Each structure stands twice: as structure tokens, then as C-alpha cells.
Amino acid sequence: MVPHPKTSLRKFEKSLPIALLRSREATTRLFKPFIDSHDLTMPQWRVLRALAEAEALDAKTLAERCVILPPSLTRIFRCLTQRGLIAQVDCTDARRHMVRLTDAGRRLFEEVVEESEPSYRRLAAAFGAERLDTLLDLLNELRDTVQNMEDTTPETSLPPLKRAANH
Amino acid sequence: MVPHPKTSLRKFEKSLPIALLRSREATTRLFKPFIDSHDLTMPQWRVLRALAEAEALDAKTLAERCVILPPSLTRIFRCLTQRGLIAQVDCTDARRHMVRLTDAGRRLFEEVVEESEPSYRRLAAAFGAERLDTLLDLLNELRDTVQNMEDTTPETSLPPLKRAANH
DNA sequence: TATTGTTATACTCTATAACTATA
DNA sequence: TATAGTTATAGAGTATAACAATA
């Protein structure tokens, strides 16, 4: 007898933040070994991935796209630069820290993509390629929806009293 | 002139782990203030939420459902118990740490739910209630799919060489 | 002997404020 | 004056191994 009441799991599974977290945890578990084996952390990998699809990006854009706070990004820049995976790019606005992938960075990126491709294909096959596409669209649209809500909502109708976190 | 190349964002948005992360970040931003204002962290909140829908749960089940590692859960138990929000429950298997919500814990849970309800409704209205439901189903099914893949996949066809993380 | 959970430890990320430099 | 990024700092989560207690 296992004391795991499976009662009323439905409501729990209907929680959006939790469902997102658990799904992410599952997919991360699937792909993280490939990232680990190249001594990369997940945030570092997101930065490489974002840079792989753009000439160069500045810290602010990367922070937003990769969901990394500026202080973390500063450390990641330092680390990836030391490893020769990214390099700074001159920018007309001297305040901006623009970076790009080096050749070594691009090689590493493509290596990881290649290695993880079979797992991705097996997932797409098991889940259904079209459903995966639907899911991705819904996820991106959800994000847009929340952003629009924030943009169009007067401050006063936002949460009660935004206190400092973790305290 | 803003130096944010919007080129080829499509591929980046097609990355499943990243799309999940960014969507979660957006929805978390929406609901976290309500959690913060009651001096709860998100993991603590997940534990309360999971317990709100079950008589009592043991640490292992909570760790799995809430995506929290056992050492973190131990700390969270200690904190929530000190605050009188959860209490230990006797279990026939003395190895298991079973906990339940106290009355105070349930009151707090319902308070948070009530306060965040308007935001949830606005999100459901803006995104579409049915699409939200579709999204939740897809997320839960994705998780199941990954789990099945892991269960049915021979160890040997798994990633190349699972080295220790962060090193 | 296997399972459950706690402790110990190191590292990373999260989050905020304060500061510097540039526009 | 506003913006971009870094530094500083505190705190929490992540992850692993080792240990204790129970089954």
C-alpha cells in the first residue's frame, strides 16, 4: 500500500504556473544531459542559443529573451568570454555590451544541437509534431497576452501591495 | 535606432524548453505579487497548493508534484511548520514524513486564491478560456510523454555520457 | 538490502540596491 | 535626466553525496 492519495489531482494540474514548471522540468530532464556534458549551465546555453540566431545581441535583449537577470548575465558573459565562446562587438552606443558567438562558440552550439537532435525527434514523434507546434504557438501567445495585459493595465488595478520578495 | 535585431526570432521561439521558461516567467510575474505579499516563496506556495487538494501527502510525492528536491523540501517543511501553516501527520510507515495543511494554512491558501482570482479571470478572458484549457492539457500530456519515453527507453540509448552537472 | 528523508556542502541563480559610465 | 550595465550582497534554489532510520 502506497500512501499517495491520487484524489483531486485534476485541480492541481489545472494550475498554469505549476503545469508550465512541471512540463519544463520534464523536457529539461530530457535535454540537460547534452548541455551538462559540455560543461554548460542552462542559462549559458540559452545565451548561446539566442546568439546562434542573431549576428550580435546586447545584454538587455539577451536578458529579456533568455530570462536572465542583468547581474547573472554579467557573470555569464565573463565565463563564456573566458572560454572563448563569445566575444564583444563594438557598438555605436558605448553603454551597450554587444556580444556575438565566436567560431568556437558556433561549433559548440552546433555540436550540442546535433547530439540532442535524436531525442528531440523521438519526442516529436511520440507527442506528435503538429501538437508540438500547437503547443509552442500557444506558449508564445500566452506570453504575448500577459505582456499586453501588463501594458494596458493601469497600475492601480494591479496586485494589492507589492512588497519586497523573500521577506 | 534600437540595436535589437529581430531577425530569425522564430527559431528561438521554437525551442520548447525556452518557450516553457518564458511563458512561465510571464505567468509567474502575474501571480507572484500575491504570493510575495503573504511572505511565501513560489516553492512554498506550490506545497500549500498541493496540500490544499489532498488530505495529507508525504515528502516524496510533494517533491515530485511540486518539482522540489528533497533537501529543499526539508527546509520548506521546517519553515511552514514554524509558521503553523502545515503539521506532521502520523503514518504507518515511520520513514515517511506526511504533512497536512493546518486551519491557518488553509485560510492562507484560500486568501491567496481569492486575491489572485481577478487576475486569473482577466488572463482567461484575454487568452480565451478554451485555449487555456487546451494549453493545460497539452502541457500535462507533454509531461506524460516524456515520462513514458524515459520509462520505455533502454539506458543505452540515452545521452552520451551523463557527467556531473555544473562542473 | 532497499527506501525515505535529513544533513552537509558547494555552487548557481534570484533579487534588489547602489554605483559608474554614457547618452 | 534617463538608460545600460556592473558591482555588491543577501537569500533561496539546485544538485550531489553521505548518513540515519525504517521497512
Side-chain angles (χ1 to χ4, degrees), chain A residues 23-35 42 115-116 118-124, chain B residues 16-17 142 145-150 153 157-160 162:
Chain A
S23 301
R24 186 170 101 84
E25 190 265 343
T27 59
T28 296
R29 208 167 51 224
L30 197 60
F31 295 114
K32 191 169 181 302
F34 302 106
I35 314 296
M42 292 301 287
E115 285 172 10
S116 58
S119 287
Y120 187 82
R121 289 203 182 156
R122 286 199 301 123
L123 176 61
Chain B
L16 191 54
L142 174 66
T145 301
V146 172
Q147 253 157 10
N148 283 335
M149 279 176 62
E150 290 170 340
T153 303
S157 81
L158 278 177
K162 197 171 172 183

PDB file of all heavy atoms in Angstrom, chain A residues 23-35 42 115-116 118-124, chain B residues 16-17 142 145-150 153 157-160 162:
ATOM      1  N   SER A  23       6.158  20.743 -16.849  1.00  0.00           N
ATOM      2  CA  SER A  23       6.470  20.379 -18.233  1.00  0.00           C
ATOM      3  C   SER A  23       7.893  20.778 -18.579  1.00  0.00           C
ATOM      4  O   SER A  23       8.608  20.043 -19.254  1.00  0.00           O
ATOM      5  CB  SER A  23       5.509  21.079 -19.194  1.00  0.00           C
ATOM      6  OG  SER A  23       4.189  20.723 -18.908  1.00  0.00           O
ATOM      7  N   ARG A  24       8.284  21.941 -18.097  1.00  0.00           N
ATOM      8  CA  ARG A  24       9.644  22.382 -18.366  1.00  0.00           C
ATOM      9  C   ARG A  24      10.643  21.453 -17.699  1.00  0.00           C
ATOM     10  O   ARG A  24      11.674  21.098 -18.271  1.00  0.00           O
ATOM     11  CB  ARG A  24       9.866  23.805 -17.869  1.00  0.00           C
ATOM     12  CG  ARG A  24      11.240  24.333 -18.270  1.00  0.00           C
ATOM     13  CD  ARG A  24      11.374  25.794 -17.990  1.00  0.00           C
ATOM     14  NE  ARG A  24      12.106  26.039 -16.780  1.00  0.00           N
ATOM     15  CZ  ARG A  24      13.444  26.074 -16.712  1.00  0.00           C
ATOM     16  NH1 ARG A  24      14.158  25.846 -17.802  1.00  0.00           N
ATOM     17  NH2 ARG A  24      14.046  26.313 -15.591  1.00  0.00           N
ATOM     18  N   GLU A  25      10.321  21.055 -16.482  1.00  0.00           N
ATOM     19  CA  GLU A  25      11.217  20.155 -15.758  1.00  0.00           C
ATOM     20  C   GLU A  25      11.403  18.859 -16.550  1.00  0.00           C
ATOM     21  O   GLU A  25      12.517  18.338 -16.670  1.00  0.00           O
ATOM     22  CB  GLU A  25      10.638  19.886 -14.368  1.00  0.00           C
ATOM     23  CG  GLU A  25      11.553  19.168 -13.418  1.00  0.00           C
ATOM     24  CD  GLU A  25      11.329  17.683 -13.412  1.00  0.00           C
ATOM     25  OE1 GLU A  25      10.249  17.241 -13.896  1.00  0.00           O
ATOM     26  OE2 GLU A  25      12.212  16.947 -12.972  1.00  0.00           O
ATOM     27  N   ALA A  26      10.308  18.353 -17.101  1.00  0.00           N
ATOM     28  CA  ALA A  26      10.381  17.101 -17.855  1.00  0.00           C
ATOM     29  C   ALA A  26      11.229  17.259 -19.115  1.00  0.00           C
ATOM     30  O   ALA A  26      12.118  16.445 -19.381  1.00  0.00           O
ATOM     31  CB  ALA A  26       8.965  16.627 -18.214  1.00  0.00           C
ATOM     32  N   THR A  27      10.988  18.321 -19.867  1.00  0.00           N
ATOM     33  CA  THR A  27      11.751  18.481 -21.105  1.00  0.00           C
ATOM     34  C   THR A  27      13.209  18.811 -20.804  1.00  0.00           C
ATOM     35  O   THR A  27      14.106  18.385 -21.519  1.00  0.00           O
ATOM     36  CB  THR A  27      11.160  19.595 -21.998  1.00  0.00           C
ATOM     37  OG1 THR A  27      11.171  20.827 -21.278  1.00  0.00           O
ATOM     38  CG2 THR A  27       9.746  19.269 -22.399  1.00  0.00           C
ATOM     39  N   THR A  28      13.419  19.561 -19.724  1.00  0.00           N
ATOM     40  CA  THR A  28      14.798  19.866 -19.340  1.00  0.00           C
ATOM     41  C   THR A  28      15.553  18.592 -19.001  1.00  0.00           C
ATOM     42  O   THR A  28      16.706  18.420 -19.378  1.00  0.00           O
ATOM     43  CB  THR A  28      14.818  20.827 -18.136  1.00  0.00           C
ATOM     44  OG1 THR A  28      14.237  22.067 -18.506  1.00  0.00           O
ATOM     45  CG2 THR A  28      16.252  21.054 -17.651  1.00  0.00           C
ATOM     46  N   ARG A  29      14.878  17.702 -18.273  1.00  0.00           N
ATOM     47  CA  ARG A  29      15.494  16.435 -17.890  1.00  0.00           C
ATOM     48  C   ARG A  29      15.951  15.680 -19.130  1.00  0.00           C
ATOM     49  O   ARG A  29      16.959  14.971 -19.135  1.00  0.00           O
ATOM     50  CB  ARG A  29      14.479  15.606 -17.106  1.00  0.00           C
ATOM     51  CG  ARG A  29      15.072  14.651 -16.107  1.00  0.00           C
ATOM     52  CD  ARG A  29      14.000  14.127 -15.169  1.00  0.00           C
ATOM     53  NE  ARG A  29      12.845  13.602 -15.875  1.00  0.00           N
ATOM     54  CZ  ARG A  29      11.571  13.837 -15.537  1.00  0.00           C
ATOM     55  NH1 ARG A  29      11.294  14.593 -14.503  1.00  0.00           N
ATOM     56  NH2 ARG A  29      10.586  13.321 -16.238  1.00  0.00           N
ATOM     57  N   LEU A  30      15.186  15.866 -20.207  1.00  0.00           N
ATOM     58  CA  LEU A  30      15.487  15.165 -21.449  1.00  0.00           C
ATOM     59  C   LEU A  30      16.718  15.736 -22.143  1.00  0.00           C
ATOM     60  O   LEU A  30      17.541  15.004 -22.689  1.00  0.00           O
ATOM     61  CB  LEU A  30      14.254  15.280 -22.368  1.00  0.00           C
ATOM     62  CG  LEU A  30      14.124  14.327 -23.542  1.00  0.00           C
ATOM     63  CD1 LEU A  30      14.083  12.892 -23.056  1.00  0.00           C
ATOM     64  CD2 LEU A  30      12.872  14.660 -24.344  1.00  0.00           C
ATOM     65  N   PHE A  31      16.848  17.061 -22.114  1.00  0.00           N
ATOM     66  CA  PHE A  31      17.904  17.689 -22.903  1.00  0.00           C
ATOM     67  C   PHE A  31      19.121  18.127 -22.087  1.00  0.00           C
ATOM     68  O   PHE A  31      20.195  18.326 -22.640  1.00  0.00           O
ATOM     69  CB  PHE A  31      17.339  18.901 -23.655  1.00  0.00           C
ATOM     70  CG  PHE A  31      16.305  18.539 -24.681  1.00  0.00           C
ATOM     71  CD1 PHE A  31      14.985  18.922 -24.542  1.00  0.00           C
ATOM     72  CD2 PHE A  31      16.670  17.784 -25.794  1.00  0.00           C
ATOM     73  CE1 PHE A  31      14.031  18.576 -25.487  1.00  0.00           C
ATOM     74  CE2 PHE A  31      15.726  17.422 -26.750  1.00  0.00           C
ATOM     75  CZ  PHE A  31      14.401  17.823 -26.589  1.00  0.00           C
ATOM     76  N   LYS A  32      18.950  18.272 -20.789  1.00  0.00           N
ATOM     77  CA  LYS A  32      20.019  18.817 -19.966  1.00  0.00           C
ATOM     78  C   LYS A  32      21.317  17.992 -20.016  1.00  0.00           C
ATOM     79  O   LYS A  32      22.409  18.579 -20.010  1.00  0.00           O
ATOM     80  CB  LYS A  32      19.550  18.959 -18.519  1.00  0.00           C
ATOM     81  CG  LYS A  32      20.483  19.749 -17.635  1.00  0.00           C
ATOM     82  CD  LYS A  32      19.804  20.068 -16.315  1.00  0.00           C
ATOM     83  CE  LYS A  32      20.712  20.875 -15.407  1.00  0.00           C
ATOM     84  NZ  LYS A  32      21.970  20.192 -15.128  1.00  0.00           N
ATOM     85  N   PRO A  33      21.238  16.671 -20.084  1.00  0.00           N
ATOM     86  CA  PRO A  33      22.483  15.898 -20.149  1.00  0.00           C
ATOM     87  C   PRO A  33      23.409  16.333 -21.280  1.00  0.00           C
ATOM     88  O   PRO A  33      24.622  16.336 -21.115  1.00  0.00           O
ATOM     89  CB  PRO A  33      21.991  14.466 -20.348  1.00  0.00           C
ATOM     90  CG  PRO A  33      20.645  14.445 -19.715  1.00  0.00           C
ATOM     91  CD  PRO A  33      20.055  15.806 -19.977  1.00  0.00           C
ATOM     92  N   PHE A  34      22.812  16.731 -22.407  1.00  0.00           N
ATOM     93  CA  PHE A  34      23.636  17.162 -23.533  1.00  0.00           C
ATOM     94  C   PHE A  34      24.326  18.488 -23.225  1.00  0.00           C
ATOM     95  O   PHE A  34      25.445  18.734 -23.678  1.00  0.00           O
ATOM     96  CB  PHE A  34      22.775  17.305 -24.795  1.00  0.00           C
ATOM     97  CG  PHE A  34      22.076  16.029 -25.174  1.00  0.00           C
ATOM     98  CD1 PHE A  34      20.715  15.879 -24.959  1.00  0.00           C
ATOM     99  CD2 PHE A  34      22.786  14.966 -25.716  1.00  0.00           C
ATOM    100  CE1 PHE A  34      20.076  14.697 -25.303  1.00  0.00           C
ATOM    101  CE2 PHE A  34      22.154  13.781 -26.061  1.00  0.00           C
ATOM    102  CZ  PHE A  34      20.790  13.654 -25.848  1.00  0.00           C
ATOM    103  N   ILE A  35      23.629  19.330 -22.474  1.00  0.00           N
ATOM    104  CA  ILE A  35      24.210  20.619 -22.078  1.00  0.00           C
ATOM    105  C   ILE A  35      25.299  20.378 -21.030  1.00  0.00           C
ATOM    106  O   ILE A  35      26.407  20.904 -21.130  1.00  0.00           O
ATOM    107  CB  ILE A  35      23.120  21.535 -21.468  1.00  0.00           C
ATOM    108  CG1 ILE A  35      21.852  21.547 -22.320  1.00  0.00           C
ATOM    109  CG2 ILE A  35      23.650  22.938 -21.252  1.00  0.00           C
ATOM    110  CD1 ILE A  35      22.034  22.123 -23.663  1.00  0.00           C
ATOM    111  N   MET A  42      22.244  25.737 -17.960  1.00  0.00           N
ATOM    112  CA  MET A  42      21.100  26.027 -18.820  1.00  0.00           C
ATOM    113  C   MET A  42      21.039  27.511 -19.215  1.00  0.00           C
ATOM    114  O   MET A  42      20.821  27.803 -20.398  1.00  0.00           O
ATOM    115  CB  MET A  42      19.797  25.590 -18.141  1.00  0.00           C
ATOM    116  CG  MET A  42      19.658  24.076 -17.986  1.00  0.00           C
ATOM    117  SD  MET A  42      19.728  23.164 -19.547  1.00  0.00           S
ATOM    118  CE  MET A  42      18.121  23.566 -20.245  1.00  0.00           C
ATOM    119  N   GLU A 115      23.862  16.560 -31.257  1.00  0.00           N
ATOM    120  CA  GLU A 115      23.785  15.459 -30.296  1.00  0.00           C
ATOM    121  C   GLU A 115      22.382  15.266 -29.732  1.00  0.00           C
ATOM    122  O   GLU A 115      21.973  14.144 -29.416  1.00  0.00           O
ATOM    123  CB  GLU A 115      24.762  15.707 -29.138  1.00  0.00           C
ATOM    124  CG  GLU A 115      26.212  15.468 -29.501  1.00  0.00           C
ATOM    125  CD  GLU A 115      27.157  15.910 -28.394  1.00  0.00           C
ATOM    126  OE1 GLU A 115      26.664  16.217 -27.291  1.00  0.00           O
ATOM    127  OE2 GLU A 115      28.378  15.933 -28.628  1.00  0.00           O
ATOM    128  N   SER A 116      21.663  16.382 -29.578  1.00  0.00           N
ATOM    129  CA  SER A 116      20.349  16.275 -28.943  1.00  0.00           C
ATOM    130  C   SER A 116      19.225  16.069 -29.948  1.00  0.00           C
ATOM    131  O   SER A 116      18.086  15.798 -29.564  1.00  0.00           O
ATOM    132  CB  SER A 116      20.072  17.528 -28.103  1.00  0.00           C
ATOM    133  OG  SER A 116      20.136  18.676 -28.913  1.00  0.00           O
ATOM    134  N   PRO A 118      18.419  13.591 -31.974  1.00  0.00           N
ATOM    135  CA  PRO A 118      17.647  12.335 -31.884  1.00  0.00           C
ATOM    136  C   PRO A 118      16.598  12.369 -30.770  1.00  0.00           C
ATOM    137  O   PRO A 118      15.471  11.900 -30.981  1.00  0.00           O
ATOM    138  CB  PRO A 118      18.726  11.290 -31.593  1.00  0.00           C
ATOM    139  CG  PRO A 118      19.971  11.853 -32.157  1.00  0.00           C
ATOM    140  CD  PRO A 118      19.869  13.338 -31.952  1.00  0.00           C
ATOM    141  N   SER A 119      16.958  12.920 -29.617  1.00  0.00           N
ATOM    142  CA  SER A 119      15.997  12.990 -28.521  1.00  0.00           C
ATOM    143  C   SER A 119      14.823  13.879 -28.896  1.00  0.00           C
ATOM    144  O   SER A 119      13.666  13.575 -28.584  1.00  0.00           O
ATOM    145  CB  SER A 119      16.664  13.532 -27.253  1.00  0.00           C
ATOM    146  OG  SER A 119      17.510  12.555 -26.694  1.00  0.00           O
ATOM    147  N   TYR A 120      15.133  14.977 -29.561  1.00  0.00           N
ATOM    148  CA  TYR A 120      14.060  15.881 -29.966  1.00  0.00           C
ATOM    149  C   TYR A 120      13.123  15.195 -30.945  1.00  0.00           C
ATOM    150  O   TYR A 120      11.905  15.311 -30.855  1.00  0.00           O
ATOM    151  CB  TYR A 120      14.638  17.144 -30.597  1.00  0.00           C
ATOM    152  CG  TYR A 120      13.583  18.188 -30.875  1.00  0.00           C
ATOM    153  CD1 TYR A 120      13.144  19.037 -29.881  1.00  0.00           C
ATOM    154  CD2 TYR A 120      12.992  18.288 -32.130  1.00  0.00           C
ATOM    155  CE1 TYR A 120      12.153  19.978 -30.112  1.00  0.00           C
ATOM    156  CE2 TYR A 120      11.994  19.216 -32.391  1.00  0.00           C
ATOM    157  CZ  TYR A 120      11.591  20.061 -31.382  1.00  0.00           C
ATOM    158  OH  TYR A 120      10.601  20.984 -31.619  1.00  0.00           O
ATOM    159  N   ARG A 121      13.710  14.432 -31.851  1.00  0.00           N
ATOM    160  CA  ARG A 121      12.874  13.748 -32.848  1.00  0.00           C
ATOM    161  C   ARG A 121      12.000  12.682 -32.218  1.00  0.00           C
ATOM    162  O   ARG A 121      10.854  12.486 -32.597  1.00  0.00           O
ATOM    163  CB  ARG A 121      13.768  13.120 -33.921  1.00  0.00           C
ATOM    164  CG  ARG A 121      14.380  14.194 -34.790  1.00  0.00           C
ATOM    165  CD  ARG A 121      14.780  13.666 -36.149  1.00  0.00           C
ATOM    166  NE  ARG A 121      15.413  14.745 -36.917  1.00  0.00           N
ATOM    167  CZ  ARG A 121      16.260  14.565 -37.918  1.00  0.00           C
ATOM    168  NH1 ARG A 121      16.579  13.337 -38.272  1.00  0.00           N
ATOM    169  NH2 ARG A 121      16.764  15.579 -38.559  1.00  0.00           N
ATOM    170  N   ARG A 122      12.593  11.978 -31.250  1.00  0.00           N
ATOM    171  CA  ARG A 122      11.784  10.956 -30.577  1.00  0.00           C
ATOM    172  C   ARG A 122      10.631  11.598 -29.828  1.00  0.00           C
ATOM    173  O   ARG A 122       9.518  11.073 -29.811  1.00  0.00           O
ATOM    174  CB  ARG A 122      12.658  10.142 -29.616  1.00  0.00           C
ATOM    175  CG  ARG A 122      13.576   9.164 -30.345  1.00  0.00           C
ATOM    176  CD  ARG A 122      14.091   8.060 -29.428  1.00  0.00           C
ATOM    177  NE  ARG A 122      14.816   8.608 -28.308  1.00  0.00           N
ATOM    178  CZ  ARG A 122      14.514   8.370 -27.039  1.00  0.00           C
ATOM    179  NH1 ARG A 122      13.510   7.587 -26.740  1.00  0.00           N
ATOM    180  NH2 ARG A 122      15.221   8.916 -26.081  1.00  0.00           N
ATOM    181  N   LEU A 123      10.902  12.763 -29.219  1.00  0.00           N
ATOM    182  CA  LEU A 123       9.834  13.462 -28.512  1.00  0.00           C
ATOM    183  C   LEU A 123       8.756  13.921 -29.493  1.00  0.00           C
ATOM    184  O   LEU A 123       7.561  13.724 -29.255  1.00  0.00           O
ATOM    185  CB  LEU A 123      10.399  14.681 -27.758  1.00  0.00           C
ATOM    186  CG  LEU A 123       9.366  15.556 -27.047  1.00  0.00           C
ATOM    187  CD1 LEU A 123       8.634  14.751 -25.986  1.00  0.00           C
ATOM    188  CD2 LEU A 123      10.015  16.779 -26.429  1.00  0.00           C
ATOM    189  N   ALA A 124       9.178  14.506 -30.593  1.00  0.00           N
ATOM    190  CA  ALA A 124       8.222  14.979 -31.591  1.00  0.00           C
ATOM    191  C   ALA A 124       7.393  13.822 -32.137  1.00  0.00           C
ATOM    192  O   ALA A 124       6.186  13.957 -32.358  1.00  0.00           O
ATOM    193  CB  ALA A 124       8.958  15.689 -32.731  1.00  0.00           C
TER     194      ALA A 124
ATOM    195  N   LEU B  16      11.489  24.403 -27.271  1.00  0.00           N
ATOM    196  CA  LEU B  16      10.487  24.032 -26.277  1.00  0.00           C
ATOM    197  C   LEU B  16      10.880  24.434 -24.856  1.00  0.00           C
ATOM    198  O   LEU B  16      10.100  25.097 -24.163  1.00  0.00           O
ATOM    199  CB  LEU B  16      10.220  22.529 -26.384  1.00  0.00           C
ATOM    200  CG  LEU B  16       9.025  21.985 -25.620  1.00  0.00           C
ATOM    201  CD1 LEU B  16       7.755  22.730 -25.958  1.00  0.00           C
ATOM    202  CD2 LEU B  16       8.856  20.499 -25.908  1.00  0.00           C
ATOM    203  N   PRO B  17      12.066  24.049 -24.380  1.00  0.00           N
ATOM    204  CA  PRO B  17      12.412  24.423 -23.003  1.00  0.00           C
ATOM    205  C   PRO B  17      12.398  25.934 -22.792  1.00  0.00           C
ATOM    206  O   PRO B  17      11.962  26.412 -21.746  1.00  0.00           O
ATOM    207  CB  PRO B  17      13.833  23.866 -22.827  1.00  0.00           C
ATOM    208  CG  PRO B  17      13.947  22.778 -23.836  1.00  0.00           C
ATOM    209  CD  PRO B  17      13.109  23.213 -24.998  1.00  0.00           C
ATOM    210  N   LEU B 142       2.370  16.496 -22.464  1.00  0.00           N
ATOM    211  CA  LEU B 142       3.797  16.538 -22.805  1.00  0.00           C
ATOM    212  C   LEU B 142       4.618  15.892 -21.696  1.00  0.00           C
ATOM    213  O   LEU B 142       5.528  15.093 -21.948  1.00  0.00           O
ATOM    214  CB  LEU B 142       4.240  17.992 -22.999  1.00  0.00           C
ATOM    215  CG  LEU B 142       5.740  18.203 -23.220  1.00  0.00           C
ATOM    216  CD1 LEU B 142       6.179  17.595 -24.542  1.00  0.00           C
ATOM    217  CD2 LEU B 142       6.102  19.688 -23.177  1.00  0.00           C
ATOM    218  N   THR B 145       4.264  12.249 -21.844  1.00  0.00           N
ATOM    219  CA  THR B 145       5.005  11.704 -22.979  1.00  0.00           C
ATOM    220  C   THR B 145       6.476  11.531 -22.633  1.00  0.00           C
ATOM    221  O   THR B 145       7.067  10.478 -22.893  1.00  0.00           O
ATOM    222  CB  THR B 145       4.878  12.631 -24.204  1.00  0.00           C
ATOM    223  OG1 THR B 145       3.503  12.771 -24.547  1.00  0.00           O
ATOM    224  CG2 THR B 145       5.647  12.062 -25.385  1.00  0.00           C
ATOM    225  N   VAL B 146       7.051  12.552 -22.041  1.00  0.00           N
ATOM    226  CA  VAL B 146       8.465  12.475 -21.671  1.00  0.00           C
ATOM    227  C   VAL B 146       8.685  11.348 -20.669  1.00  0.00           C
ATOM    228  O   VAL B 146       9.638  10.578 -20.773  1.00  0.00           O
ATOM    229  CB  VAL B 146       8.959  13.821 -21.091  1.00  0.00           C
ATOM    230  CG1 VAL B 146      10.374  13.672 -20.541  1.00  0.00           C
ATOM    231  CG2 VAL B 146       8.908  14.905 -22.147  1.00  0.00           C
ATOM    232  N   GLN B 147       7.786  11.267 -19.700  1.00  0.00           N
ATOM    233  CA  GLN B 147       7.934  10.220 -18.690  1.00  0.00           C
ATOM    234  C   GLN B 147       7.862   8.835 -19.319  1.00  0.00           C
ATOM    235  O   GLN B 147       8.645   7.947 -18.977  1.00  0.00           O
ATOM    236  CB  GLN B 147       6.856  10.356 -17.611  1.00  0.00           C
ATOM    237  CG  GLN B 147       7.414  10.887 -16.298  1.00  0.00           C
ATOM    238  CD  GLN B 147       6.341  11.533 -15.440  1.00  0.00           C
ATOM    239  OE1 GLN B 147       5.159  11.422 -15.730  1.00  0.00           O
ATOM    240  NE2 GLN B 147       6.772  12.214 -14.403  1.00  0.00           N
ATOM    241  N   ASN B 148       6.947   8.667 -20.245  1.00  0.00           N
ATOM    242  CA  ASN B 148       6.846   7.379 -20.931  1.00  0.00           C
ATOM    243  C   ASN B 148       8.099   7.077 -21.730  1.00  0.00           C
ATOM    244  O   ASN B 148       8.572   5.947 -21.761  1.00  0.00           O
ATOM    245  CB  ASN B 148       5.625   7.356 -21.860  1.00  0.00           C
ATOM    246  CG  ASN B 148       4.347   7.157 -21.083  1.00  0.00           C
ATOM    247  OD1 ASN B 148       4.358   6.596 -19.990  1.00  0.00           O
ATOM    248  ND2 ASN B 148       3.242   7.611 -21.634  1.00  0.00           N
ATOM    249  N   MET B 149       8.629   8.105 -22.365  1.00  0.00           N
ATOM    250  CA  MET B 149       9.861   7.916 -23.129  1.00  0.00           C
ATOM    251  C   MET B 149      10.962   7.391 -22.218  1.00  0.00           C
ATOM    252  O   MET B 149      11.703   6.480 -22.577  1.00  0.00           O
ATOM    253  CB  MET B 149      10.319   9.240 -23.742  1.00  0.00           C
ATOM    254  CG  MET B 149       9.594   9.617 -25.015  1.00  0.00           C
ATOM    255  SD  MET B 149      10.092  11.245 -25.611  1.00  0.00           S
ATOM    256  CE  MET B 149      11.832  10.984 -25.929  1.00  0.00           C
ATOM    257  N   GLU B 150      11.052   7.992 -21.037  1.00  0.00           N
ATOM    258  CA  GLU B 150      12.102   7.600 -20.102  1.00  0.00           C
ATOM    259  C   GLU B 150      11.893   6.175 -19.603  1.00  0.00           C
ATOM    260  O   GLU B 150      12.845   5.413 -19.438  1.00  0.00           O
ATOM    261  CB  GLU B 150      12.143   8.566 -18.916  1.00  0.00           C
ATOM    262  CG  GLU B 150      12.658   9.941 -19.310  1.00  0.00           C
ATOM    263  CD  GLU B 150      12.481  10.976 -18.214  1.00  0.00           C
ATOM    264  OE1 GLU B 150      11.648  10.747 -17.314  1.00  0.00           O
ATOM    265  OE2 GLU B 150      13.158  11.990 -18.267  1.00  0.00           O
ATOM    266  N   THR B 153      12.611   3.667 -22.588  1.00  0.00           N
ATOM    267  CA  THR B 153      13.867   3.765 -23.318  1.00  0.00           C
ATOM    268  C   THR B 153      14.976   3.002 -22.608  1.00  0.00           C
ATOM    269  O   THR B 153      15.243   3.245 -21.444  1.00  0.00           O
ATOM    270  CB  THR B 153      14.305   5.228 -23.459  1.00  0.00           C
ATOM    271  OG1 THR B 153      13.276   5.946 -24.097  1.00  0.00           O
ATOM    272  CG2 THR B 153      15.579   5.321 -24.260  1.00  0.00           C
ATOM    273  N   SER B 157      20.378   3.871 -24.924  1.00  0.00           N
ATOM    274  CA  SER B 157      20.076   4.825 -25.978  1.00  0.00           C
ATOM    275  C   SER B 157      19.906   6.226 -25.408  1.00  0.00           C
ATOM    276  O   SER B 157      19.540   7.144 -26.103  1.00  0.00           O
ATOM    277  CB  SER B 157      18.812   4.413 -26.722  1.00  0.00           C
ATOM    278  OG  SER B 157      17.673   4.799 -26.006  1.00  0.00           O
ATOM    279  N   LEU B 158      20.178   6.368 -24.148  1.00  0.00           N
ATOM    280  CA  LEU B 158      20.112   7.692 -23.534  1.00  0.00           C
ATOM    281  C   LEU B 158      21.400   8.460 -23.822  1.00  0.00           C
ATOM    282  O   LEU B 158      22.356   7.905 -24.333  1.00  0.00           O
ATOM    283  CB  LEU B 158      19.885   7.561 -22.018  1.00  0.00           C
ATOM    284  CG  LEU B 158      18.419   7.336 -21.628  1.00  0.00           C
ATOM    285  CD1 LEU B 158      18.288   7.146 -20.132  1.00  0.00           C
ATOM    286  CD2 LEU B 158      17.561   8.514 -22.077  1.00  0.00           C
ATOM    287  N   PRO B 159      21.407   9.749 -23.463  1.00  0.00           N
ATOM    288  CA  PRO B 159      22.553  10.640 -23.754  1.00  0.00           C
ATOM    289  C   PRO B 159      23.923   9.991 -23.633  1.00  0.00           C
ATOM    290  O   PRO B 159      24.085   8.975 -22.964  1.00  0.00           O
ATOM    291  CB  PRO B 159      22.389  11.736 -22.712  1.00  0.00           C
ATOM    292  CG  PRO B 159      20.919  11.807 -22.503  1.00  0.00           C
ATOM    293  CD  PRO B 159      20.341  10.461 -22.843  1.00  0.00           C
ATOM    294  N   PRO B 160      24.895  10.599 -24.252  1.00  0.00           N
ATOM    295  CA  PRO B 160      26.226  10.043 -24.406  1.00  0.00           C
ATOM    296  C   PRO B 160      26.909   9.627 -23.119  1.00  0.00           C
ATOM    297  O   PRO B 160      27.295   8.479 -22.973  1.00  0.00           O
ATOM    298  CB  PRO B 160      27.013  11.196 -25.060  1.00  0.00           C
ATOM    299  CG  PRO B 160      26.174  12.418 -24.889  1.00  0.00           C
ATOM    300  CD  PRO B 160      24.777  11.938 -24.820  1.00  0.00           C
ATOM    301  N   LYS B 162      26.596  10.813 -19.062  1.00  0.00           N
ATOM    302  CA  LYS B 162      25.962  11.737 -18.117  1.00  0.00           C
ATOM    303  C   LYS B 162      26.936  12.168 -17.040  1.00  0.00           C
ATOM    304  O   LYS B 162      27.053  11.537 -16.001  1.00  0.00           O
ATOM    305  CB  LYS B 162      24.737  11.063 -17.505  1.00  0.00           C
ATOM    306  CG  LYS B 162      23.798  12.041 -16.843  1.00  0.00           C
ATOM    307  CD  LYS B 162      22.514  11.347 -16.448  1.00  0.00           C
ATOM    308  CE  LYS B 162      21.653  12.275 -15.609  1.00  0.00           C
ATOM    309  NZ  LYS B 162      20.435  11.608 -15.159  1.00  0.00           N
TER     310      LYS B 162
END
